[in-house]
Amino acid sequence: MPDRTPYSLARPTRYLQSLLAHSAAGGVILMITAALAILVANSPLADLYQRTLASYVGGLSVLHWINDGLMAVFFLLVGLEIKREVLEGELSSWPRRILPGSAALGGMIGPALIYLAFNLGPTGHPSGWAIPAATDIAFALGVLSLLGPRVPVSLRVFLMALAIIDDLGAVVIIALFYTTSLDAVALGGAGLVTLALIALNRVGVNRLLPYIALGALLWLLVLLSGIHATLAGVILAFTVPLRTRSTPDAGSPLLTMEHGIQPWVTFLIVPVFGFANAGVSFAGMSLSALMEPVPLGVALGLFVGKQLGVFLTSAAVIALGLATLPAQATWKQMYGLAALCGIGFTMSLFIGLLAFPDSAPLQDQLKLGVLAGSLISTLLAVLLLRSRQPAG
């Protein structure tokens, strides 16, 4: 049951702990569903699996409903988390933003450069440059949860802040680089609905039903406009008020919505997305398949680009005196956390499907790269983080 007690500024730690617990548990479930998808895709059920995802319901395929419909709710949660953290959480001031912000930026640039290094040639596919640039927060926190008290709380908070900025970067990338043709009428309608949502916020409406109703209309218009429909979730999130001036103690609309949808996203939507999109068939595939430009660029982007981008940028910011190492953390643990950021499962798969929407072979290749890069990143991170901190 979501927490429905009145919102208080004295409770940000409780909400952060709740979010970390949900994400950690969800990460374990996501691992299980991803493994199950791979098993099904390589079993006698593979044909049924593919036909079910390709079947049409209400004018869209099941896979389309999952990736454009259910994932809009995932992006709604992402947007709510970003807004909350920026207004009064771990990203509420510039000193708090510098270290995770710099690490997130380095962690997006590094993987993109490595991917492009393998895909700028005549046989490459440069449009997938953003695939390894994202971190899967649920998966990463799931791994951290298995390590227990070996990892200081400060590193968990740092990872959470980094991943939130990383998600914001992914949203911007999707909006700017993976939007093709635009329908001016639908886009104009989406703009008008957005203005109506902003008006609700400005006049202090704290009931969620008007926001949800307009949000559903916004999703439909964004879908028809040519912009990816999931971005409607982020737009809606940014218009939901954290609290209203008229009734500041009556409860937070943003937190009510966040805690209401969080279990559904964590325990249903993200696992369903993982099951629908992680099923790559290994039939007729050899290890040489990893040497193709797309899977090699994705795997090395996640494994090498992420850890170097996050760690080197963080080290530079700390060396310049702009930030300090997270409390009670060692440099070895910091590097382990940087390696953990190479788990790009959910968002990497999502961006990959946008990069190669009409090519099943390339989709299989990117899935192979995401799985390989995420797996070896996980193994390295566990090796580095499993050792206990030195006494004192």
Side-chain angles (χ1 to χ4, degrees):
M1 293 289 291
D3 182 3
R4 299 190 181 279
T5 55
Y7 174 73
S8 167
L9 293 179
R11 296 167 61 200
T13 302
R14 278 186 58 191
Y15 284 122
L16 181 59
Q17 290 173 340
S18 172
L19 182 59
L20 291 175
H22 275 306
S23 297
V28 175
I29 295 174
L30 185 55
M31 296 176 201
I32 295 171
T33 54
L36 184 60
I38 295 172
L39 288 175
V40 170
N42 292 275
S43 75
L45 296 174
D47 184 60
L48 176 62
Y49 171 77
Q50 296 296 342
R51 283 191 290 107
T52 301
L53 292 176
S55 60
Y56 273 72
V57 178
L60 296 175
S61 70
V62 171
L63 185 61
H64 203 164
W65 276 115
I66 292 170
N67 292 347
D68 281 38
L70 289 182
M71 287 300 284
V73 184
F74 166 80
F75 275 87
L76 171 60
L77 179 62
V78 167
L80 293 170
E81 291 171 354
I82 291 171
K83 181 172 181 177
R84 173 175 52 79
E85 292 295 332
V86 167
L87 288 180
E88 51 188 48
E90 292 302 317
L91 303 174
S92 59
S93 64
W94 283 110
R96 289 184 173 187
R97 296 169 191 161
I98 289 175
L99 184 59
S102 301
L105 182 62
M108 287 185 281
I109 294 174
L113 291 177
I114 287 183
Y115 178 90
L116 288 173
F118 289 95
N119 283 272
L120 284 179
T123 61
H125 300 275
S127 61
W129 63 271
I131 296 171
T135 294
D136 189 313
I137 182 59
F139 232 128
L141 285 173
V143 173
L144 279 188
S145 72
L146 299 178
L147 295 170
R150 292 180 177 86
V151 181
V153 173
S154 63
L155 275 185
R156 297 171 186 264
V157 173
F158 171 71
L159 175 62
M160 187 69 198
L162 185 158
I164 286 174
I165 298 173
D166 188 278
D167 283 344
L168 180 59
V171 169
V172 173
I173 287 171
I174 292 169
L176 294 180
F177 298 101
Y178 294 106
T179 296
T180 54
S181 59
L182 294 176
D183 183 303
V185 175
L187 190 61
L192 291 175
V193 174
T194 300
L195 290 176
L197 285 165
I198 294 172
L200 289 179
N201 182 301
R202 297 294 293 175
V203 300
V205 174
N206 63 354
R207 293 182 60 223
L208 288 177
L209 184 58
Y211 292 97
I212 294 171
L214 286 175
L217 177 58
L218 178 65
W219 176 85
L220 177 60
L221 290 169
V222 172
L223 176 68
L224 297 174
S225 74
I227 300 174
H228 201 273
T230 52
L231 295 180
V234 179
I235 296 171
L236 172 60
F238 287 173
T239 63
V240 175
L242 180 61
R243 57 192 171 283
T244 59
R245 286 170 294 181
S246 58
T247 54
D249 299 319
S252 164
L254 186 149
L255 290 174
T256 299
M257 178 178 283
E258 181 182 345
H259 287 279
I261 68 174
Q262 188 180 78
W264 293 97
V265 170
T266 302
F267 299 116
L268 177 64
I269 292 173
V270 171
V272 167
F273 172 85
F275 181 76
N277 290 280
V280 56
S281 174
F282 299 124
M285 189 180 294
S286 64
L287 287 177
S288 62
L290 270 172
M291 297 298 105
E292 294 293 326
V294 169
L296 188 61
V298 171
L300 292 182
L302 287 170
F303 180 61
V304 178
K306 264 292 182 182
Q307 60 183 269
L308 291 183
V310 170
F311 184 78
L312 293 179
T313 308
S314 300
V317 170
I318 292 172
L320 290 171
L322 300 175
T324 58
L325 195 67
Q328 298 182 317
T330 66
W331 281 108
K332 178 182 177 182
Q333 289 174 321
M334 193 70 172
Y335 194 81
L337 193 79
L340 194 64
C341 290
I343 302 175
F345 190 79
T346 304
M347 196 69 81
S348 290
L349 289 177
F350 187 83
I351 293 176
L353 296 175
L354 297 180
F356 309 125
D358 302 315
S359 176
L362 286 179
Q363 289 180 10
D364 283 344
Q365 287 184 23
L366 78 89
K367 290 176 184 178
L368 185 61
V370 169
L371 292 171
S374 297
L375 177 60
I376 57 179
S377 294
T378 300
L379 293 176
L380 177 61
V382 170
L383 287 174
L384 293 171
L385 294 170
R386 68 188 298 271
S387 58
R388 292 186 179 276
Q389 294 175 257

